[in-house]
Amino acid sequence: MWSYLLRRLVQAALVVAVMATIVFFGVNVIGNPVDILINPDFDQEEMARAIKALGLDKPLHEQFFYFVKNALRGDLGISFVFGEPALKLIIQRMPATLELAFASLFLSIVLGVPLGMYAGLKPDSKFSKTMMAGSILGFSLPTFWVGIMMIMLFAVMLGWLPATGRGETTDLFGIQVSFLTWDGLTHLALPAVNLALTNISLVMRLARAGCKEAALQDYVKFARAKGMSEQRIVLKHILKNIMIPVVTVLGLEFGSLIAFSVVTETVFSWPGMGKLIIESIQVLDRPIIVAYLMMTVLMFVTINLLVDLTYSLLDPRVRLGGAGK
Amino acid sequence: MRRSLKFGAALGATLLLAAGAARADDVKIGIYSEPSAMDPHYHNLGPNNSFSSNIYDALIIQDENQNLTPGLAMSWEPVSDLVWEFKLRKGVKFHDGSDFNADDVMFTSERAPNVPNSPSSFGTYLKGKTFSKVDDFTIRVTTERPYPLMPVDLSTVSIISSDVGADVKTADFNAGPAMIGTGPYKFVEWLPSDRIVLVKNEDYWGEKAAFDKVTMKPIKSNPTRVAALLSGDVDMIDSVPTADIETLKKTDGVTLASGISNRVIYLHMDRFRDNSPFITGTDGKNPLKDLRVRQAISMAINRDAIVSRVMEGIAIPAGQLLPPGFFGTSDKLKPQAYNPKRAKELLAEAGYPNGFGLTIHGPNDRYINDAKIAQAIGQMLTRVGIKTQIETMPKSVYFRSASRGGPNGEPKYSFILVGWGSGTGEASSPLKSLVHTHNKELGFGASNRGRYSNPKTDKLIEDALATVDDTKRAALLAEATEIAISDLAVIPLHYQVNTWATTKGLKYLPRTDERTSLRSLKKQ
């Protein structure tokens, strides 16, 4: 167990290091942020000053050396655009993104699992067929289009929900959250559903397939023969067995929800990390891009690890560390 | 009991009234670009300077049409060729209640050009100027050479309170404590990429703010910004996309405010290489060096078609570098008329009866409809025989290459689409940066990406920039513009028109500097 964890940690550190190096040099190939950050009235002297102020006058390998040196001390550099530490800017926007991701994960589970199971147990009902057909639209329509349509329908035409932003926030253990107020919830609704749509569909299909398969298994037949109630069979035996693929997929998808909620955050103008990263990419704010991707890698590694650990809880046959010693 | 009931009812009514009043005077604005910091001196760029104008005053304030009006300075005049004197306004209070005087100006002049990590500093406007305090309400600024742009330059710098201390950091402004100005609005809070909240400064010395509370929400996505206005999330938006203007015009309760800007969209041509990298079929000659070819290109472009089709009517064909009426523009120059027949003849006269190959490079996320304009020009040039390829790219890639992407740090492309906004609102700005010979020592021609060089225009521009007399300077600038345009140093296409949209009760006065400033937002 411990050697397993250690190995995973070393792997993670390696991936982060390689990724940071690639991104660091990659961003430099694209262009130079100074050209778009500087006032057009600049003269050559001001251009030289700005390049120096951002530390871009030094040779690239030297910049990289300083970056590594500072990164080892936990300092990922100062944003070219905002003039504040990159890590601070990302963490400042993290609660908004996490809230959105959790809300959408929550929706995926509470809507996806029951709907999928229903469709699996009663495959011929009209409702099941409609839901399954709908789920195809759910993950084939592009997020940004659905987002804009939702804004058009619910905000502009019906006027039920606000179109943009995060709304009122309250302090919960030092973190600003919006789901505790009505205003915050109404703001959260559209982006969370938009972000969840693909995953609801995905979970539905997984749950349905798993359910159909499990319903025919011997242990279900045996349970039924024992005279167990249908409710108990479904909740205890089937549900538990179909959760393994659902947990795997949701685990991986959760990482994507956080790291790549870019589209939803842009469409709904949600003040999270996704909006920060896309705007930083547009102006080549290297410290933020590098720091953000390093964090993303770390997060994926952590989530994968957690998924593996959850496995061993859900399915006793799975042993961590490979060989079943 | 009865008394308390009565009291309760009265209190309730008062509260209701207060709530109603608060709603009426609370305004939400969806803005396209968010400032990168609250610090008014950290980043000298459009979005930041627009925002600072709400909280801070400068010595001189540019009005909607970029005319100079008294700000914290009541009057200003040159006392000699090299010295300008500013008489400061008395009785002005900062938001924290302290008094404004010459020490604050001195403090600002020290800090503004020297903010650490600044990606674009106010050194651009403050360089070479020595400030001295004569008395508490008089400031003198000395330069080494006669310098007519003094008032314009100082109109860009927000005056901050000296009480914030010399070691104040950008983060102190972002968090709020150092946000002490004299402007019409006071700072409340900034939640980055979420909202900026301001309240009215009741003690403002000038025209008081129109609204009690203003919330600015950055909404970068175009359809979302429009939807936010239509759904009532916000009461005003800026940068209305041209494609939505027709729809919004027909929408009840929405008022559009459009105004010409100081930004010209133009073409710059390689004038310094004999063998230009993106020109083919000319046996190594650079046809862009031939005036006839440049004239042919200008005639081949149907500016009216670009304005009506690509820009949906929201632009004005350009014949010079700044719309007529601005200081130092020429009243003789008209937009080049569309004449493809004459263009073909000129190409034949220049020795290219079969045309040649050319690539136009441009950004696709910087100016209104920039990529579409490049495509339209490509087709128009191909029609007269110049087989044009179009390559557009994000501004982050484009601008470095266009300015210094060549092997030796020279401009990379042969034929480019660019825009120029004159921050100072007068003609010396584009002439100095785009037309004057690229010269590092003088600091001229910094954005002369075609490396056009003409001793005649150079001399006129330099003379103008040393002429303090307004009439004489305007004449010199107009003459320089006329020579540059007749020689087609650049080919002007159109002036951008910016549009703001408000809902009932609000009125925005369009600004030529493209800014969204609360100073221009009024009640209807």
Side-chain angles (χ1 to χ4, degrees):
Chain A
M1 177 76 187
W2 290 112
S3 73
Y4 170 80
L5 275 179
L6 192 70
R7 207 167 61 230
R8 291 290 292 254
L9 276 176
V10 173
Q11 277 174 2
L14 237 131
V15 176
V16 171
V18 170
M19 207 276 327
T21 314
I22 294 174
V23 176
F24 190 95
F25 288 98
V27 173
N28 270 73
V29 175
I30 302 172
N32 189 321
V34 176
D35 292 272
I36 33 183
L37 293 178
I38 201 163
N39 189 303
D41 276 332
F42 73 92
D43 57 16
Q44 290 87 340
E45 189 187 333
E46 166 64 14
M47 178 60 113
R49 188 212 59 80
I51 290 178
K52 194 158 182 279
L54 301 187
L56 294 168
D57 55 331
K58 301 193 182 70
L60 192 54
H61 59 87
E62 210 172 302
Q63 292 177 36
F64 186 66
F65 172 74
Y66 282 118
F67 164 73
V68 173
K69 203 173 120 194
N70 290 330
L72 289 176
R73 290 189 317 217
D75 170 10
L76 294 180
I78 288 178
S79 157
F80 293 156
V81 178
F82 300 98
E84 295 209 49
L87 209 55
K88 178 187 158 191
L89 291 163
I90 294 172
I91 289 172
Q92 204 173 38
R93 287 158 174 83
M94 196 183 259
T97 297
L98 284 180
E99 181 169 35
L100 189 59
F102 275 116
S104 122
L105 186 73
F106 177 75
L107 286 177
S108 313
I109 296 172
V110 299
L111 292 179
V113 174
L115 286 176
M117 283 181 75
Y118 183 84
L121 294 170
K122 297 203 165 64
D124 295 325
S125 86
K126 250 211 180 105
F127 180 71
S128 302
K129 282 186 175 159
T130 322
M131 287 318 295
M132 291 328 286
S135 76
I136 295 177
L137 290 180
F139 58 79
S140 50
L141 291 176
T143 320
F144 72 91
W145 185 83
V146 176
I148 290 172
M149 288 302 124
M150 279 165 58
I151 292 180
M152 273 312 285
L153 183 65
F154 293 106
V156 177
M157 289 159 80
L158 297 172
W160 292 348
L161 293 165
T164 58
R166 201 175 171 206
E168 199 182 316
T169 55
T170 39
D171 195 284
L172 183 72
F173 310 124
I175 298 168
Q176 293 295 320
V177 295
S178 56
F179 70 92
L180 292 178
T181 61
W182 178 246
D183 181 60
L185 268 182
T186 55
H187 279 87
L188 183 61
L190 286 184
V193 171
N194 184 233
L195 189 61
L197 220 50
T198 321
N199 285 326
I200 296 175
S201 313
L202 201 63
V203 170
M204 252 167 75
R205 299 192 83 82
L206 279 173
R208 171 175 166 271
C211 211
K212 268 180 130 173
E213 200 190 321
L216 301 174
Q217 295 288 322
D218 290 343
Y219 60 84
V220 175
K221 287 181 187 159
F222 185 70
R224 203 165 273 143
K226 266 193 355 188
M228 235 178 240
S229 75
E230 192 64 23
Q231 196 188 349
R232 195 169 154 79
I233 293 174
V234 171
L235 291 183
K236 174 113 180 128
H237 295 279
I238 297 184
L239 180 63
K240 208 169 169 190
N241 277 290
I242 64 167
M243 280 320 273
I244 289 181
V246 172
V247 167
T248 317
V249 168
L250 278 183
L252 292 174
E253 286 295 317
F254 184 63
S256 313
L257 285 181
I258 297 175
F260 309 115
S261 56
V262 177
V263 176
T264 300
E265 288 189 9
T266 308
V267 169
F268 289 93
S269 194
W270 187 261
M273 304 190 293
K275 216 175 146 207
L276 177 71
I277 183 70
I278 196 75
E279 285 168 17
S280 299
I281 290 172
Q282 280 163 359
V283 293
L284 299 179
D285 195 344
R286 191 182 66 204
I288 292 195
I289 301 175
V290 174
Y292 182 86
L293 290 176
M294 284 172 79
M295 282 191 31
T296 309
V297 171
L298 263 181
M299 194 176 64
F300 268 94
V301 173
T302 319
I303 289 175
N304 279 347
L305 186 64
L306 288 177
V307 168
D308 285 356
L309 293 174
T310 323
Y311 264 8
S312 65
L313 292 179
L314 281 174
D315 186 345
R317 287 172 301 182
V318 176
R319 289 278 176 277
L320 293 180
K325 282 172 200 160
Chain B
M1 179 71 196
R2 254 175 68 195
R3 234 180 90 183
S4 72
L5 252 182
K6 238 188 201 165
F7 176 74
L11 186 73
T14 324
L15 280 177
L16 266 177
L17 271 176
R23 254 202 303 282
D25 274 1
D26 282 7
V27 168
K28 291 196 175 116
I29 302 175
I31 53 172
Y32 173 73
S33 325
E34 185 180 23
S36 59
M38 293 291 107
D39 184 344
H41 303 143
Y42 165 71
H43 196 174
N44 174 14
L45 197 66
N48 291 48
N49 293 343
S50 306
F51 176 75
S52 298
S53 72
N54 304 320
I55 309 271
Y56 296 95
D57 291 314
L59 288 179
I60 298 165
I61 292 171
Q62 295 190 11
D63 72 3
E64 283 79 27
N65 300 313
Q66 288 180 284
N67 296 317
L68 302 180
T69 60
L72 290 176
M74 303 279 284
S75 63
W76 55 93
E77 56 176 2
V79 287
S80 75
D81 265 1
L82 303 178
V83 182
W84 284 75
E85 188 171 273
F86 294 82
K87 290 277 180 209
L88 303 183
R89 193 177 293 276
K90 289 176 184 160
V92 174
K93 291 223 181 284
F94 278 100
H95 294 161
D96 64 351
S98 61
D99 290 313
F100 160 77
N101 61 33
D103 292 332
D104 301 305
V105 180
M106 296 303 295
F107 176 73
T108 299
S109 73
E110 290 286 315
R111 178 175 192 267
N114 298 313
V115 179
N117 301 320
S118 164
S120 175
S121 85
F122 279 91
T124 303
Y125 297 124
L126 291 175
K127 197 170 58 181
K129 301 183 175 70
T130 314
F131 284 70
S132 56
K133 173 179 163 181
V134 179
D135 60 48
D136 269 356
F137 291 95
T138 312
I139 286 279
R140 282 193 173 182
V141 187
T142 314
T143 50
E144 281 170 17
R145 281 174 294 171
Y147 191 70
L149 295 183
M150 180 69 74
V152 177
D153 278 7
L154 292 191
S155 74
T156 61
V157 184
S158 298
I159 303 294
I160 61 171
S161 162
S162 58
D163 292 349
V164 297
D167 53 354
V168 68
K169 294 189 178 56
T170 297
D172 299 327
F173 288 90
N174 292 347
M179 287 295 279
I180 302 163
T182 55
Y185 285 90
K186 294 186 199 179
F187 176 82
V188 178
E189 63 171 345
W190 179 39
L191 303 175
S193 83
D194 188 0
R195 75 190 88 152
I196 310 170
V197 183
L198 311 172
V199 292
K200 182 178 185 172
N201 173 13
E202 297 288 352
D203 303 319
Y204 190 52
W205 56 266
E207 190 192 333
K208 297 248 189 324
F211 300 96
D212 292 337
K213 184 180 166 199
V214 178
T215 307
M216 300 173 116
K217 293 161 81 85
I219 308 176
K220 206 162 188 105
S221 152
N222 283 337
T224 313
R225 203 165 53 253
V226 174
L229 180 82
L230 291 175
S231 70
D233 272 15
V234 296
D235 310 300
M236 167 179 161
I237 57 171
D238 61 8
S239 304
V240 178
T242 52
D244 291 314
I245 286 179
E246 274 308 308
T247 327
L248 287 176
K249 262 187 197 160
K250 291 182 202 132
T251 310
D252 276 347
V254 174
T255 313
L256 292 174
S258 291
I260 193 166
S261 82
N262 59 21
R263 191 178 300 281
V264 63
I265 304 297
Y266 65 93
L267 301 167
H268 228 147
M269 293 142 289
D270 181 351
R271 300 287 289 275
F272 65 107
R273 281 173 289 214
D274 281 325
N275 194 354
S276 198
F278 294 94
I279 292 175
T280 55
T282 58
D283 299 324
K285 271 199 299 179
N286 179 354
L288 299 174
K289 285 190 166 183
D290 189 322
L291 176 63
R292 289 167 297 187
V293 173
R294 297 197 298 276
Q295 286 170 335
I297 291 175
S298 186
M299 286 178 188
I301 295 170
N302 187 346
R303 289 173 178 76
D304 293 327
I306 293 180
V307 166
S308 66
R309 299 293 156 78
V310 180
M311 303 300 289
E312 322 234 1
I314 315 297
I316 290 165
Q320 52 187 314
L321 302 170
L322 200 60
F326 276 96
F327 186 89
T329 52
S330 160
D331 45 15
K332 293 181 196 141
L333 294 170
K334 299 276 171 298
Q336 171 68 51
Y338 176 51
N339 192 345
K341 199 165 143 266
R342 179 78 189 119
K344 274 186 202 160
E345 286 169 17
L346 279 166
L347 280 177
E349 280 171 31
Y352 304 99
N354 301 317
F356 53 90
L358 182 65
T359 304
I360 177 171
H361 288 86
N364 57 21
D365 58 355
R366 178 63 190 85
Y367 311 109
I368 303 175
N369 300 336
D370 40 15
K372 290 186 205 156
I373 302 168
Q375 280 161 9
I377 287 170
Q379 287 167 11
M380 289 166 181
L381 294 186
T382 304
R383 210 170 295 162
V384 297
I386 304 173
K387 288 167 274 308
T388 309
Q389 295 188 348
I390 302 126
E391 221 172 288
T392 60
M393 58 202 96
K395 63 184 177 198
S396 52
V397 179
Y398 173 75
F399 279 101
R400 180 177 66 167
S401 300
S403 303
R404 50 203 171 88
N408 304 310
E410 75 275 19
K412 183 175 174 185
Y413 306 129
S414 301
F415 187 65
I416 57 172
L417 177 105
V418 214
W420 185 267
S422 172
T424 55
E426 45 84 64
S428 78
S429 158
L431 286 170
K432 183 171 76 175
S433 293
L434 306 180
V435 172
H436 193 286
T437 307
H438 183 78
N439 185 326
K440 220 173 179 163
E441 283 68 46
L442 293 174
F444 288 157
S447 296
N448 184 348
R449 299 184 178 101
R451 294 290 187 266
Y452 173 77
S453 177
N454 181 344
K456 267 196 262 172
T457 47
D458 285 1
K459 172 113 189 10
L460 284 167
I461 295 166
E462 284 163 34
D463 285 353
L465 286 171
T467 307
V468 176
D469 184 283
D470 278 353
T471 326
K472 281 188 199 147
R473 188 168 81 256
L476 287 169
L477 291 172
E479 194 187 343
T481 306
E482 281 156 20
I483 295 176
I485 294 297
S486 67
D487 199 17
L488 289 174
V490 301
I491 298 178
L493 297 174
H494 58 260
Y495 307 116
Q496 258 182 216
V497 168
N498 292 299
T499 309
W500 291 262
T502 53
T503 45
K504 272 202 178 102
L506 273 70
K507 187 171 79 173
Y508 194 75
L509 309 175
R511 296 182 65 94
T512 56
D513 56 12
E514 308 190 327
R515 288 182 180 179
T516 300
S517 170
L518 299 181
R519 288 175 191 265
S520 304
L521 180 64
K522 316 275 176 190
K523 271 182 199 160
Q524 212 166 29

